[in-house]
């Protein structure tokens, strides 16, 4: 039965998978057919998976838990930041630094360093620094901001992760699993859906597809907060 959500997903290109030669066999249960060498994702299955993920995230949000959005591919960066900010949650959208979850002590040191750099002009040694030294520290600050801005207030490991692309964010997903953190992932036809707790079979390369799926997750989280 075609409903409004499935129509929106068709318009956003959520159903377009990868080339058939690049598919992952475990995605077979989520695929409808192929057309012109491209796998077509079964959007009825996508809707079922999306409903499960939304229910899970809404329940977490209602309990005041922390959710980390991860999407470092170019098409996802802005949408991931906006989703996290719209829900009052956390994000990584520039680069996943190895150990962001499994080596939090080092990350906390980097956040402390960022705090120091942001108050550089108030530091006692500032007046004795050369322009060259200050410029180098400003570059360091910009780099740390890109990498850490979205998690600097997280204060420890999240309770769940939402990732865009099971293959692209595999390091982040592995770290989450090492800590027993459940993961919701947009999973294209070339990735293994059995590796994650809440796969959402969907085109993870198109901006409109990413934004549509994230908008549903944001609505669920915000709805959960109001419970």
């Amino acid at each position: 039965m075609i409903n409004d959500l499935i129509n929106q997903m068709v318009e956003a290109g959520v159903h377009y998978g990868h080339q058939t030669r690049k598919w992952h066999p475990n995605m077979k249960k989520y695929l409808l057919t192929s057309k012109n060498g491209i796998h077509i994702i079964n959007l009825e299955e996508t809707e079922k998976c999306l409903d499960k993920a939304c229910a899970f995230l809404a329940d977490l949000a209602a309990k005041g838990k922390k959710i980390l959005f991860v999407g470092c591919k170019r098409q996802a960066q802005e949408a991931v930041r906006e989703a996290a900010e719209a829900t009052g949650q956390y994000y990584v959208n520039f680069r996943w630094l190895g150990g962001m979850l499994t080596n939090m002590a080092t990350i906390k040191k980097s956040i402390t360093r960022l705090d120091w750099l942001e108050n550089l002009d108030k530091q006692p040694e500032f007046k004795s620094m050369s322009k060259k030294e200050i410029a180098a520290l400003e570059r360091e600050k910009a780099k740390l901001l890109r990498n850490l801005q979205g998690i600097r207030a997280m204060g420890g490991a999240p309770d769940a992760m939402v990732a865009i692309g099971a293959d692209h964010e595999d390091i982040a997903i592995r770290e989450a699993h090492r800590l027993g953190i459940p993961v919701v992932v947009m999973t294209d036809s070339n990735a293994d859906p059995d590796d994650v707790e809440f796969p959402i079979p969907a085109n993870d390369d198109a901006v409109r597809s990413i934004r549509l799926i994230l908008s549903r997750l944001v609505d669920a989280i915000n709805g959960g907060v109001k419970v």
Side-chain angles (χ1 to χ4, degrees):
M1 180 178 175
I2 303 299
N3 59 34
D4 185 51
L5 174 58
I6 288 181
N7 281 329
Q8 288 179 45
M9 288 196 286
V10 170
E11 289 174 6
V14 175
H15 57 303
Y16 290 121
H18 280 273
Q19 294 175 331
T20 52
R21 61 188 174 83
K22 293 182 178 180
W23 79 307
H24 195 290
N26 288 346
M27 277 294 291
K28 185 176 182 180
K29 55 185 174 284
Y30 298 122
L31 301 177
L32 189 63
T33 185
S34 62
K35 185 176 181 180
N36 299 324
I38 301 292
H39 270 127
I40 304 299
I41 294 167
N42 186 339
L43 294 180
E44 289 186 353
E45 292 296 324
T46 301
E47 185 176 27
K48 291 177 189 174
C49 292
L50 185 55
D51 284 345
K52 289 179 184 175
C54 284
F56 167 69
L57 293 174
D59 182 60
L60 277 185
K63 295 173 181 173
K65 302 295 186 179
K66 293 182 289 190
I67 299 165
L68 176 63
F69 289 83
V70 180
C72 299
K73 60 169 67 180
R74 180 181 50 79
Q75 305 95 309
Q77 288 177 336
E78 194 67 13
V80 159
R81 180 186 60 79
E82 290 173 2
E85 290 178 350
T87 53
Q89 297 290 345
Y90 310 94
Y91 68 92
V92 174
N93 72 337
F94 183 72
R95 181 186 170 204
W96 184 268
L97 304 174
M100 270 188 156
L101 293 181
T102 54
N103 191 7
M104 290 294 290
T106 298
I107 297 301
K108 285 177 181 176
K109 286 180 182 177
S110 295
I111 291 171
T112 300
R113 174 70 172 172
L114 175 57
D115 292 338
W116 185 87
L117 288 168
E118 286 189 324
N119 291 285
L120 182 61
D121 58 345
K122 298 182 181 68
Q123 307 303 332
E125 58 267 48
F126 177 72
K127 291 181 180 179
S128 61
M129 288 181 180
S130 67
K131 288 183 179 179
K132 186 176 181 180
E133 287 174 318
I134 292 171
L137 291 173
E138 287 293 335
R139 287 193 296 272
E140 181 187 355
K141 181 179 75 173
K143 184 178 178 181
L144 287 172
L145 266 174
R146 283 196 305 267
N147 290 329
L148 302 174
Q149 178 66 18
I151 61 167
R152 63 191 303 185
M154 192 163 67
D159 299 288
M161 177 186 289
V162 175
I164 308 301
D167 57 333
H168 195 276
E169 306 302 344
D170 59 318
I171 297 173
I173 292 167
R174 284 202 302 270
E175 286 194 31
H177 284 159
R178 211 170 298 154
L179 297 177
I181 298 168
V183 184
V184 173
V185 190
M186 281 184 72
T187 309
D188 215 325
S189 62
N190 64 333
D192 186 356
D194 296 347
D195 273 351
V196 294
E197 291 77 9
F198 296 94
I200 301 174
N203 177 354
D204 63 13
D205 290 316
V207 174
R208 289 183 67 196
S209 174
I210 293 167
R211 284 191 175 278
L212 178 59
I213 297 300
L214 282 176
S215 72
R216 289 284 168 157
L217 299 180
V218 165
D219 288 347
I221 293 168
N222 285 338
V225 169
K226 295 170 187 173
V227 172

